[in-house]
Structure formats: structure tokens, C-alpha cells
Amino acid sequence: MAPEVRPTGIPDPATVSDFATQRRSDLFDDLLALFLTEGFAHFTLDALVARLHCSKSTLYTLAPSKGELVRAATVRFFRQSTDAVEHAVAQTPSPAAKITAYLSAVGDALAEASPRFLTDLAAFAPAREVYEQNTAIAAQRVKELIDDGVEAGAFRDVHATFAADLAATTMVRIQQGQVRAATGLDDAAAYRELAAILTTGILTAGITA
């Protein structure tokens, strides 16, 4: 069969589709960056359109309402953060370093979020639920890293479930803003402190991170 010859001036549908997909992804990134910097509660759709230099119909290709935009952007933030965190863990050789890398990378990811964004997130149930779900997943991941360290002999023979529960409880308190209120530490700093305290407490004598 002879190859299709497209008349001059008519774009290839695949090229158009690729461009549209990239444009949508770039717009999503711009939206997320705006939310992370300035929060989202005060924005109207018209204000978002003006700031993002797009049409309202283009914005609707991302989500059908402002609430869905916020939730989708929050999901995107935590998905990107998870990729960065796991990449950091993969680069570290020892069990203790992996826990430090994991919790520190979570802290680094949260450092991108302004206090305004985190305040708005806590007040908006659909976005808050995304944060809660990711906190639960992160707590389970820390338990896995602790179990791996105990099995490898890098950590004291502590009750891994207790250590993980201690980490999970603290992570939930961070997510709920309780640590910030009690200590003044922001979420990012709190995760870094948790990493230092947790690994120091469970290391086998003579082993350092």
C-alpha cells in the first residue's frame, strides 16, 4: 500500500495531538506552580485564566470546575513528589541512609509548598484527603524501609511496627499542622528532624548513616 500523502498545509493529526498534550501538561505545571506559591482559595476561575494567559475553555480541559482543578493539581504535586523521593532513595546504599533520604526528600518536596498553599489545602476537604492518603502511603513506605534495615542487621532488633507507628503518628501530626503549632517547625523541617531522630534511635551500635 502506498504511503499517505498529506496535502501541503494540513498538519499531521499525531503532531497536533502531541502539541495539545504538551500544552496541557505545561498548563498544568503552571497552575500547580501558581497554587504552590500563592495558595488557591482566593482564586476565581476568571483570575486563573488571567494569570495563566489561557481561555476558560482551555482551563476546562484540565478539570470541569475549580474544585476539581485544585484536587487534580494536588494529586499532580504529590505524584511528582513521590517520583523525586523514590529517586533519592534509589541513590542511597545503606538502610539508614535510605530512611534519611526518604524523609528528607519528603521534606524537600513539601518545602516547595508555601504556608498559604498548605493552609488552603487543610481547609479544602478534597485536597486535604489527597495529603492524608499520601501521608498514609509514606508511613507504610517508612515501615518497609525499617523492616528492610532490621532484616539486613543495620538496625537494632526493635519492634519495627512500633518504630513505623511512631513515624506514622508524627507524620500525621505534621500533616494536620499539629507539629507546626506545637514547635514552630514547618512541614519540611519537621520531616528532616524526624529523619534524624528516627535513624539515630534504631541504628545498630557502631553503625552510622
Side-chain angles (χ1 to χ4, degrees):
M1 179 180 295
E4 177 185 0
V5 178
R6 187 167 299 281
T8 303
I10 299 180
D12 186 333
T15 302
V16 173
S17 177
D18 289 345
F19 176 80
T21 299
Q22 185 60 52
R23 168 59 179 149
R24 184 176 181 273
S25 180
D26 291 345
L27 181 60
F28 221 154
D29 286 339
D30 291 344
L31 176 70
L32 176 56
L34 181 62
F35 283 169
L36 289 174
T37 302
E38 301 183 24
F40 53 80
H42 62 291
F43 278 114
T44 63
L45 284 175
D46 288 336
L48 289 175
V49 165
R51 291 293 297 275
L52 296 172
H53 307 290
C54 68
S55 67
K56 193 173 290 188
S57 60
T58 299
L59 198 58
Y60 280 140
T61 65
L62 303 182
S65 67
K66 180 192 168 183
E68 288 297 322
L69 278 173
V70 169
R71 187 183 186 285
T74 305
V75 169
R76 189 177 184 88
F77 170 61
F78 283 107
R79 184 171 295 156
Q80 292 175 345
S81 298
T82 298
D83 291 342
V85 168
E86 289 299 339
H87 177 74
V89 171
Q91 305 307 306
T92 56
S94 72
K98 286 183 182 297
I99 291 180
T100 299
Y102 186 88
L103 292 172
S104 296
V106 171
D108 291 343
L110 288 173
E112 297 180 21
S114 67
R116 181 68 178 270
F117 173 78
L118 292 174
T119 297
D120 288 349
L121 185 154
F124 184 57
R128 184 178 66 247
E129 288 167 2
V130 174
Y131 193 177
E132 291 171 350
Q133 290 167 3
N134 278 270
T135 298
I137 292 170
Q140 178 60 35
R141 185 71 175 104
V142 170
K143 181 181 184 306
E144 293 172 359
L145 293 172
I146 292 173
D147 287 341
D148 291 345
V150 171
E151 184 176 348
F155 298 154
R156 292 187 300 110
D157 189 18
V158 297
H159 196 302
T161 301
F162 172 74
D165 182 68
L166 180 64
T169 299
T170 303
M171 292 161 76
V172 170
R173 292 188 72 245
I174 293 171
Q175 178 265 313
Q176 293 177 345
Q178 296 175 16
V179 170
R180 182 191 297 264
T183 68
L185 290 172
D186 62 27
D187 292 13
Y191 267 97
R192 296 187 186 103
E193 287 296 322
L194 176 61
I197 293 170
L198 184 62
T199 53
T200 300
I202 63 179
L203 279 173
T204 300
I207 296 179
T208 62

